[in-house]
Amino acid sequence: MEKTKVLVVDDSALMRNLLARIIGAQPDLEVVGTAADALIAGQMVIELKPDVLTLDIEMPRMDGLQFLERIMERRPMPVVMVSTLTEAGAEATMRALELGAVDFIPKPKLDMHKGMGEYAAEMADKIRAAARARPRTRAGAARPAVTAPAAASAVTPLHPAPVRTPRLPIVGKVPADGRIILVGASTGGTEAIRELLSGLPAEMPPILITQHMPAGFTKSFAERLNKYCKLAVKEADDGERVLPGHVYIAPGSHHLLLKRNLAGYVTALSDGPPVNRHRPSVEVLFRSGAEVAGPAVVGVMLTGMGKDGAVAMREMREAGAYNIVQDEASSVVFGMPREAIAAGAAHEVAPLDEIASKVVGQLIKGGPRPARLSA
């Protein structure tokens, strides 16, 4: 079995050693080197040709964001950011994902004993997914799928980004009352969600989103999205009425559910156990949509690792929802979309840059479907 080669970049010797032990303990992963700063790492990338890079943000001589930007321009490769659990760290992580990092994981605590097994499993999963991913260029297009060794050995500069297909025109008034849009995503989803939302008009039904993301990062994610689109984006609170023109992001520490009462649809947060190893879980959000909104829902499954949400998306379809799934060519990781298609959940499979128009088209075509509310 050919192992995935990983280069660990962090200015802390203790952190380098800890990450190297965690990664090296996996039978299919191999740490080919560690680097204390970006300049050393740049030379090691050339010499060792790693398949995946784990990258710290705060480093001497050249910070992680500068190095990431340079490497994505000159030698694009899968990068997993290892981020601090601070407000500044969360903001920098969002910027790293914009620059082309595949995914991120919070830094482990050096005194962490309980839960280290779960952290190691999550780190390994993210590296495996990154090795199979289509890293996104700064222009936003997913690069063609390549094997991990081939990706690492590429030495030619990044070619100019291909011309993107224009978004389909939005014709007609979007009915904002009575409908609900539910979105699920994981690896690669932060940028996919940004593209989806930036293509939507302000006059939209409420949108609820579950993106796999740890606590401490979702508020920064929501605030950043709020700057990019016409819709009002916020981290969801428990028990708030969902309003047209608003987007609600599941907090990293809680499942997000759609509920309803006599006043209309409302959010609910749950700190229940992880589902499919995730909290928040797409499965939980989609199942709540199937139960309380049924035919009022337009469901969207975006890029992501694993199978979270596939079964519940099929339940949404059976309850009368209309579902759109991102296609393989535009997905950074085609795990969750593939599983949703295999489950028979999808009405349409579409490239990322067409999904916003398809959502709007379905809303216009279907018209408002107010849900029957009960006491």
Side-chain angles (χ1 to χ4, degrees):
M1 177 182 66
E2 187 174 2
K3 294 186 177 183
T4 297
K5 297 183 292 184
V6 184
L7 175 63
V8 175
V9 186
D10 197 293
D11 68 335
S12 164
L14 285 174
M15 190 59 63
R16 289 196 303 274
N17 291 334
L18 177 58
L19 293 175
R21 289 201 308 271
I22 289 172
I23 297 166
Q26 304 297 320
D28 58 332
L29 305 180
E30 175 187 6
V31 177
V32 294
T34 64
D37 65 44
L39 298 184
I40 296 172
Q43 187 61 37
M44 295 180 78
V45 167
I46 296 171
E47 295 174 355
L48 301 175
K49 298 179 173 61
D51 303 321
V52 178
L53 195 70
T54 72
L55 181 60
D56 185 20
I57 292 176
E58 298 177 1
M59 294 185 297
R61 298 206 283 177
M62 179 187 295
D63 69 35
L65 293 180
Q66 292 174 309
F67 180 62
L68 176 64
E69 186 169 16
R70 179 174 296 186
I71 202 134
M72 295 309 292
E73 288 175 348
R74 301 181 180 182
R75 186 187 294 265
M77 64 180 299
V79 176
V80 176
M81 304 303 295
V82 184
S83 308
T84 56
L85 277 170
T86 65
E87 184 175 347
E91 180 65 20
T93 299
M94 296 303 106
R95 177 60 180 153
L97 295 171
E98 290 179 4
L99 290 172
V102 173
D103 206 348
F104 75 96
I105 189 170
K107 282 193 172 187
K109 297 178 181 178
L110 294 176
D111 60 351
M112 183 178 180
H113 299 290
K114 182 179 179 181
M116 183 58 79
E118 293 180 5
Y119 182 91
E122 183 180 7
M123 169 68 85
D125 283 346
K126 286 180 180 289
I127 291 173
R128 294 181 187 113
R132 299 191 300 268
R134 298 172 175 83
R136 296 179 67 82
T137 68
R138 292 188 65 191
R143 292 174 57 80
V146 290
T147 61
S153 62
V155 295
T156 56
L158 179 64
H159 295 295
V163 177
R164 301 297 304 276
T165 303
R167 290 193 180 98
L168 299 176
I170 294 173
V171 179
K173 181 175 175 58
V174 180
D177 294 331
R179 303 298 295 271
I180 291 287
I181 300 168
L182 304 182
V183 180
S186 184
T187 311
T190 55
E191 288 302 287
I193 290 168
R194 181 163 74 98
E195 178 156 348
L196 169 63
L197 296 183
S198 65
L200 296 174
E203 299 78 19
M204 290 292 292
I207 302 173
L208 278 65
I209 298 176
T210 290
Q211 159 74 43
H212 294 162
M213 188 174 285
F217 291 86
T218 43
K219 182 179 180 182
S220 179
F221 178 47
E223 291 173 349
R224 203 166 186 88
L225 287 173
N226 192 52
K227 300 175 183 178
Y228 284 118
C229 64
K230 302 179 181 70
L231 299 151
V233 186
K234 68 182 298 291
E235 187 180 55
D237 292 317
D238 186 50
E240 61 183 320
R241 185 179 178 186
V242 299
L243 301 172
H246 288 66
V247 181
Y248 304 87
I249 306 292
S253 57
H254 288 74
H255 298 300
L256 174 62
L257 298 88
L258 178 68
K259 298 290 185 180
R260 68 185 188 191
N261 57 29
L262 288 174
Y265 294 114
V266 296
T267 61
L269 300 182
S270 167
D271 61 356
V275 175
N276 296 324
R277 294 175 55 189
H278 296 288
R279 187 178 66 205
S281 166
V282 180
E283 196 83 10
V284 172
L285 175 62
F286 282 3
R287 180 158 292 129
S288 72
E291 292 172 352
V292 307
V297 174
V298 175
V300 178
M301 182 74 84
L302 299 175
T303 174
M305 172 180 65
K307 62 181 182 180
D308 186 35
V311 173
M313 194 175 208
R314 174 57 189 262
E315 293 173 7
M316 286 202 305
R317 177 169 182 164
E318 292 171 345
Y322 189 89
N323 295 331
I324 302 168
V325 175
Q326 186 175 352
D327 72 357
E328 182 172 9
S330 66
S331 294
V332 173
V333 177
F334 193 56
M336 287 162 53
R338 177 190 287 116
E339 293 295 330
I341 294 166
H347 289 89
E348 288 189 78
V349 179
L352 176 60
D353 57 9
E354 295 182 10
I355 292 179
S357 294
K358 288 184 177 295
V359 168
V360 171
Q362 179 59 29
L363 293 170
I364 294 171
K365 175 183 176 182
R369 300 180 185 178
R372 181 178 300 169
L373 302 179
S374 58

